[in-house]
Amino acid sequence: MTTTTCPFCAVGCGLVLDVAGGRVVGVAPERLHPVSRGQLCVKGWNAAQFIASPERLTRPLLRRNGRLEAVAWDVALAAAAEALAAARHEGGPDAVGVVASARATNEDAFAAMKFARAVLGTNNVDHCARVCHAPSVAGLRRTLGSGAMTNPIADVDETDCLLVVGADVTENHAILGARILAAHERGVPLVVVDPRRTRLARAADLHAQIRLGTDIAFVNGMLHAIFAHGWEDRAYLDARCENVDALRAALARWTPDEAARVTGVPAAAIVDAARLYAASRRGWLAYGLGVTQHVSGTETVIALSNLALVTGNVGAIGGGVNPLRGQNNVQGACDMGALPDVYSGYQPVDDAAARRRFEAAWGVALPSAPGLTSLSMQHAAHDGRLKTLLVIGEDPVVTDPGGRFVARALGRLDCLIVAELFLTETATCADIVLPAASFAEKDGTFTSTERRVQRVRRAVAPPGEARTDWEMLEALAARLGRPMGFRDAAGVFTEMAALTPIYGGMSHARIGASGGLCWPCPTPAHPGTPRLHVASCVRGRGRLIPVDQTPPAELPDAEYPLQLTTFRLHHQYGSGSMTRRAPLLERENPLGLVWMHASDAARRRITTGACVRVRSRRGEVTTRAIVSDDVPPGVVAMPYHFAEASPNLVTNDALDPIARMPELKVCAVAVEAC
Ligand code: SF4
């Protein structure tokens, strides 16, 4: 029996893997886990199925004469090192880039960022947080000083009101969703703000079914009502916040009637939502990708932060501003500095003192200018500026906007190197494919959405010749003549903790003995910090920043009269590379579909199960329809786990100007029967 952490969503449930004959033969919940408390969702129960898939990559592959052929590690590493060295020689260090993984361990992510910076000499390192919670990092750092979830999941049991914005929690964070529903059944009011009628929305006391991309108008309407009725926490604002008068003045135009005009939610419901949240002693505010995946993602995060500050909910038990991270280790990959502008622990690359610390530890000069984001790397590849790219455990051809463009851009690289479990859509485009170890085959740590750093433990050997990411990066670094000095996962963690104050008091041994530690945990005696901003915000005073409604980059018109939004299904995860190889999960949701309202379907003579074409200015995708009142008239919705029916063939890559997040949650489309 091996106790470890679920490899799917960022709730971070505790798993026990049952091993017999060198194979994982069963999964059980960890009975005493502090968050999951002996429970798992259906994905967790089936977490081991993909490990034994016959489709696992077991040997390195090298493209020869247009075909990927199995080769020895030596051959693959030599080819990868040669391609990286040639690109650097021809175009300088910034002609190469690394896309790290939010699915891999912290140790893998730290090795990836060190490999990019210390071995390749570039800050071109990023990962899929770019397309999920980059606006949370940017927005909350501006207002509070830290871009992470402020309060623990356990605070759901301590709150007087639950406000969930743009998050389909029962589908995507099921164990947390169950906890929210249980609190609601005990009488805690539940307010859901979401354009779709999710399961949580159906259970809520108040479902504000806003128009796509109008969250700021809704929140500003709530804030207007809060000030108008005197529901703000005046003592908290005086003692702990700055910019109160500027915010109040900027809210003048956001009367509930004006917010209703923009959002489509009745003014009385906006005032009710404000009353339920603000008049409660404490409100636990959580949000998801429905907030962040917009051109106004960062400003929407700021608006939510304003709401929590004005009501005195930041730093309080049962309160907080809580971005629900999606993938198992997207929080950790950010913490590890797999981002173009910061080292581990969010230490800026353009801060000379921080840079000197890493230079002294690694014995090399490091670049000072922030690097390219993952999407900018695609454009640089398309334009010929980026020549060799290493993609670790990500599938951007499926998960990033404009899938055809992504494939075309990757095809223009001199060399694409992909480390993966399976031959994904992106790996299929690669010149070199390196077989990777899964969560059950490696030691390390994941950091959950509540900043809880937890152990991942090796239960079985990787199949064939597959290796952990940090091992293959170390081997590649040695080939390039710059070994990183990593011997085992615990050693990687030790180096990272020494350079990363928020992880400074942690070690594998301590995390394993404690059941997980929430950062910041700066010293070995520090107990960890489940709740941030308690006495004051990390930045000092909470900063209120007025923000205004920005419409989506693309609105419906005569040619593209509907709005497309995207979402995730309970039985699938990410690009589906793991869950679609778990037969019991695939059985439940085997198809990508497009959800559409009966009125839109009838107008087009479309019925459930009909073949339909979804078109936008960027491309088209053929799929099947499901007629449902989960979506309002004028809106269609597609899940993004299915490469054969990927909404990212039509989604918009218009960017949030601050966080560079593409607007995956809304674009204009036409839908017609095939
Ligand atoms: S809720 Fe998330 S972490 Fe927990 S079992 Fe399900 S997928 Fe795994």
Side-chain angles (χ1 to χ4, degrees), residues 298-569:
T298 304
E299 293 194 329
T300 310
V301 170
I302 289 170
L304 293 173
S305 177
N306 290 342
L307 187 61
L309 285 168
V310 163
T311 50
N313 272 307
V314 173
I317 297 171
V321 193
N322 299 298
L324 302 179
R325 311 304 293 253
Q327 302 207 40
N328 55 320
N329 199 40
V330 69
Q331 180 66 56
C334 290
D335 299 346
M336 293 302 105
L339 295 167
D341 56 343
V342 290
Y343 304 116
S344 53
Y346 306 96
Q347 301 172 78
V349 298
D350 54 10
D351 178 292
R355 197 168 58 254
R356 274 198 299 274
R357 218 167 17 252
F358 282 85
E359 287 177 335
W362 294 343
V364 290
L366 296 172
S368 59
L372 298 174
T373 66
S374 55
L375 301 187
S376 299
M377 285 190 241
Q378 292 163 12
H379 284 274
H382 191 263
D383 300 345
R385 288 174 284 128
L386 192 86
K387 299 188 179 303
T388 292
L389 178 65
L390 169 58
V391 177
I392 304 168
E394 302 262 336
D395 194 3
V397 171
V398 177
T399 58
D400 288 3
R404 288 217 170 82
F405 169 80
V406 178
R408 202 163 55 242
L410 297 181
R412 290 191 179 188
L413 289 162
D414 291 348
C415 183
L416 173 64
I417 308 162
V418 174
E420 253 301 351
L421 304 175
F422 299 103
L423 206 54
T424 60
E425 300 294 308
T426 302
T428 306
C429 306
D431 302 287
I432 302 165
V433 181
L434 305 175
S438 77
F439 83 105
E441 298 147 3
K442 58 175 141 186
D443 283 309
T445 51
F446 291 154
T447 304
S448 76
T449 188
E450 63 170 12
R451 297 174 282 103
R452 181 179 295 274
V453 187
Q454 308 190 96
R455 279 303 313 274
V456 175
R457 294 185 178 88
R458 177 176 156 130
V460 293
E465 299 173 16
R467 297 183 183 179
T468 64
D469 299 348
W470 72 262
E471 284 174 314
M472 59 178 92
L473 289 164
E474 180 63 57
L476 200 45
R479 284 266 169 182
L480 288 161
R482 297 182 187 183
M484 295 191 286
F486 296 143
R487 301 278 171 270
D488 55 28
V492 180
F493 193 96
T494 300
E495 177 177 316
M496 178 278 297
L499 286 165
T500 312
I502 58 175
Y503 280 68
M506 299 189 202
S507 64
H508 275 196
R510 194 174 167 213
I511 294 163
S514 64
L517 289 163
C518 295
W519 64 255
C521 176
T523 66
H526 194 285
T529 312
R531 210 168 280 110
L532 292 174
H533 316 298
V534 173
S536 65
C537 291
V538 169
R539 71 175 296 275
R541 290 177 85 84
R543 189 168 167 214
L544 297 161
I545 304 176
V547 285
D548 227 333
Q549 176 64 36
T550 307
E554 194 176 59
L555 293 169
D557 57 18
E559 195 178 356
Y560 299 102
L562 299 172
Q563 288 185 298
L564 170 72
T565 191
T566 56
F567 68 105
R568 291 170 283 172
L569 296 166

Side-chain angles (χ1 to χ4, degrees), residues 6 8-9 11-13 40-41 43-44 173-175:
C6 180
F8 295 126
C9 90
V11 173
C13 298
L40 295 174
C41 79
K43 285 199 287 287
H173 302 88
I175 293 299

Side-chain angles (χ1 to χ4, degrees), residues 258-328:
E258 175 63 5
R261 188 186 66 76
V262 176
T263 62
V265 177
I270 296 171
V271 176
D272 265 357
R275 181 182 52 77
L276 283 168
Y277 176 68
S280 298
R281 192 179 56 88
R282 288 296 165 233
W284 194 82
L285 190 170
Y287 67 88
L289 303 188
V291 161
T292 56
Q293 290 181 328
H294 286 282
V295 289
S296 56
T298 304
E299 293 194 329
T300 310
V301 170
I302 289 170
L304 293 173
S305 177
N306 290 342
L307 187 61
L309 285 168
V310 163
T311 50
N313 272 307
V314 173
I317 297 171
V321 193
N322 299 298
L324 302 179
R325 311 304 293 253
Q327 302 207 40
N328 55 320

